[in-house]
Amino acid sequence: GTGAVSSALIQDKIDQTLDYQRLTPLSPTQCLLGYLFGLPVLELVMFLLTLPHLIFIVVVGNIPLIEVGSIYLSFFVCVILYHMTAIAVGIVMNRWVLGYLLSIFMVVLINMVLPLFISQLGLKFVQFLSVWPVISQKVLPLVVTPEALDAALRNPYFSMAGDVPVYNIMVTPFQFTLLLQGALLVTFFMMAYRRWESATKHSLSKSYSMCFLAGFIALVIGNVWPAITGQFLPFQIFGQNDLDQLTEVIAVAFPAIFSFVSWALAGVLIAIVVPGHHAYVRGLRRAAKLGRSSPKPWEDDSGNIAFTAIFVAIVMVGFFVLYASLNAAGFFDFRFDPEYGLWRLPLALAL
């Protein structure tokens, strides 16, 4: 389905019919929903053909309808997310073939590669971009005997069946999956919507980008909050979940991974919202025609350096919270002399 959406959108670009779609009296939302549910229509028909078999399994197996509904709701949200990603990538990227390959690669990476390799390093966060956690929570108890359930949960694909921490609140994998995928779905829809309105618009607005970065950092820290505060480790790292045995790993790996991911995301968002030289000059000319000395701060063509400083400040605040929590829990006692002060570490990494 993702390949069908991406390839059909690319074909519209090649045939130069995408611009004609923009001229129709339909709103951007209606056009995007038409692409979203119209291009993968063959996939939807094939799913409908499996419904009689599904009904038979539910009736004969006496499976609770609430479980079936939860699984398929998560499944459909995941599918819509992948399809929306293909649309956003196809509209935003100028290199169409690269966008097609990127959308296909993303699906394979999230569903097959990450659960086997990256998640073993403790990056369980990415697994919730697939349906594996919900399958682990909802399906395994129905098809696996209680004696074999523990062995099944050691499988990398089914290792996220337990509740997920968001600071001191525990949510189910189903709830966390909908939260994470819903946020990304809205983001990709916003990207496609803005570029559908105008090909010269930035993919995201400055305000939305700042909120997205702050929300992402808050969610990442909340996901590891029990670990960095010394309460318990909510997931396994290298097959271990004992905090005492993983003190050095957490003290070194968590800040390094957080720094890499946060700065990478901040860099991408800054590249999206900060205009290039041509767009900046265009904004100055438009502002001069309107009798202003410069574009408004929130406009796409505004090159106010303050926004870059805000992005950096958001990352640094998250970094400080992470380091302060690790320090308060005693994770740095094994390595760093308190008299030198931990403030040099985030400062050095930021520089």
Side-chain angles (χ1 to χ4, degrees):
T2 304
V5 172
S6 183
S7 60
L9 192 61
I10 290 173
Q11 190 62 45
D12 272 356
K13 281 192 171 183
I14 295 175
D15 297 338
Q16 297 182 352
T17 58
L18 189 62
D19 290 333
Y20 290 101
Q21 299 286 353
R22 289 191 174 102
L23 297 176
T24 61
L26 299 176
S27 66
T29 300
Q30 291 174 316
C31 293
L32 290 175
L33 291 179
Y35 273 96
L36 183 61
F37 295 103
L39 294 179
V41 64
L42 180 60
E43 181 186 21
L44 296 177
V45 171
M46 294 176 63
F47 166 74
L48 292 176
L49 293 176
T50 65
L51 286 182
H53 187 240
L54 173 63
I55 295 173
F56 175 79
I57 292 176
V58 171
V59 174
V60 175
N62 195 25
I63 302 177
L65 292 179
I66 187 65
E67 302 295 337
V68 177
S70 300
I71 295 169
Y72 276 90
L73 176 60
S74 175
F75 173 76
F76 276 113
V77 171
C78 188
V79 168
I80 294 173
L81 172 63
Y82 294 159
H83 293 176
M84 194 69 246
T85 303
I87 293 176
V89 170
I91 293 179
V92 171
M93 295 188 65
N94 294 324
R95 297 182 180 180
W96 308 328
V97 177
L98 181 60
Y100 170 78
L101 296 176
L102 180 62
S103 60
I104 299 298
F105 176 75
M106 183 201 70
V107 176
V108 176
L109 180 71
I110 291 175
N111 288 277
M112 299 182 65
V113 179
L114 293 181
L116 286 177
F117 300 103
I118 304 299
S119 65
Q120 299 307 301
L121 302 177
L123 300 178
K124 301 293 186 179
F125 192 87
V126 295
Q127 277 194 268
F128 291 94
L129 297 177
S130 67
V131 296
W132 289 115
V134 179
I135 293 176
S136 305
Q137 177 198 5
K138 302 290 185 178
V139 178
L140 281 186
L142 299 176
V143 299
V144 178
T145 60
E147 294 78 12
L149 186 59
D150 290 339
L153 293 177
R154 286 195 290 269
N155 187 302
Y157 289 102
F158 304 131
S159 59
M160 296 300 293
D163 289 343
V164 184
V166 180
Y167 295 97
N168 293 323
I169 301 174
M170 302 299 291
V171 299
T172 64
F174 172 71
Q175 296 169 333
F176 192 78
T177 298
L178 292 184
L179 173 65
L180 183 60
Q181 294 186 10
L184 289 178
L185 179 59
V186 172
T187 301
F188 287 129
F189 182 83
M190 288 291 297
M191 295 173 67
Y193 185 92
R194 287 175 59 85
R195 293 302 289 267
W196 188 276
E197 282 188 320
S198 174
T200 61
K201 274 190 172 184
H202 293 170
S203 301
L204 293 172
S205 65
K206 291 181 173 64
S207 57
Y208 188 91
S209 298
M210 289 189 295
C211 293
F212 181 82
L213 178 62
F216 175 82
I217 290 177
L219 196 59
V220 169
I221 294 178
N223 193 222
V224 297
W225 186 256
I228 64 178
T229 54
Q231 301 176 40
F232 64 93
L233 189 61
F235 44 77
Q236 292 187 352
I237 301 178
F238 300 119
Q240 297 285 339
N241 56 1
D242 188 355
L243 282 177
D244 295 333
Q245 297 181 359
L246 297 171
T247 300
E248 298 183 9
V249 174
I250 293 174
V252 175
F254 276 26
I257 294 174
F258 177 86
S259 176
F260 174 79
V261 174
S262 299
W263 286 121
L265 179 60
V268 170
L269 293 176
I270 290 173
I272 289 175
V273 303
V274 173
H277 177 72
H278 175 73
Y280 179 67
V281 173
R282 182 184 61 200
L284 291 177
R285 290 173 177 171
R286 183 184 295 115
K289 291 179 181 180
L290 297 175
R292 300 196 306 261
S293 60
S294 63
K296 294 180 179 180
W298 297 101
E299 292 181 353
D300 286 351
D301 295 335
S302 172
N304 196 337
I305 197 174
F307 288 103
T308 302
I310 293 174
F311 282 111
V312 173
I314 292 173
V315 176
M316 290 304 299
V317 168
F319 205 71
F320 174 78
V321 172
L322 179 69
Y323 258 106
S325 301
L326 290 171
N327 185 39
F331 282 98
F332 294 122
D333 293 345
F334 78 99
R335 178 77 177 174
F336 304 107
D337 192 340
E339 70 181 17
Y340 292 105
L342 288 175
W343 62 271
R344 294 180 176 85
L345 294 174
L347 179 61
L349 190 53
L351 295 176

